[in-house]
Amino acid sequence: MEILKLKIRADGEGKVILQVPQDLANQELEIAVIYQPAFPTPATQTPEELGWPPGFFEQTAGCLADEPLVRYDQGEYEVREELD
């Protein structure tokens, strides 16, 4: 079994003409077709479809605009006994 990877364009009717290499002429072949668009269009999902509560981004966007974020002192790191 060999894999032959081709990039071809389907015509307006959705037809594709497959030409195999000359050394495969006059042979019985079993062909499996797996297709993938060359430039897949991303499926856009709403935030609700992605699991977010309705209105989440509208309610929370910019909610910290007037309050600057402060990172307080993290303290000293605990020194632990080394493992053998």
Side-chain angles (χ1 to χ4, degrees):
M1 181 171 128
E2 291 188 40
I3 296 175
L4 177 63
K5 187 174 180 179
L6 304 169
K7 197 177 259 192
I8 52 179
R9 187 177 230 351
D11 69 10
E13 296 178 356
K15 294 179 184 175
V16 173
I17 297 173
L18 177 65
Q19 287 185 303
V20 296
Q22 188 72 31
D23 61 328
L24 297 176
N26 296 318
Q27 293 185 39
E28 188 171 321
L29 304 171
E30 184 174 317
I31 296 177
V33 176
I34 300 173
Y35 73 90
Q36 172 178 317
F39 303 103
T41 55
T44 305
Q45 292 181 310
T46 66
E48 290 80 11
E49 291 172 334
L50 294 171
W52 294 97
F56 175 79
F57 293 103
E58 292 78 5
Q59 295 170 7
T60 59
C63 68
L64 298 175
D66 298 329
E67 302 175 28
L69 295 177
V70 178
R71 183 171 191 246
Y72 296 102
D73 183 29
Q74 299 298 300
E76 296 296 319
Y77 180 73
E78 175 186 346
V79 178
R80 297 184 179 186
E81 197 176 306
E82 289 192 30
L83 297 175
D84 294 326

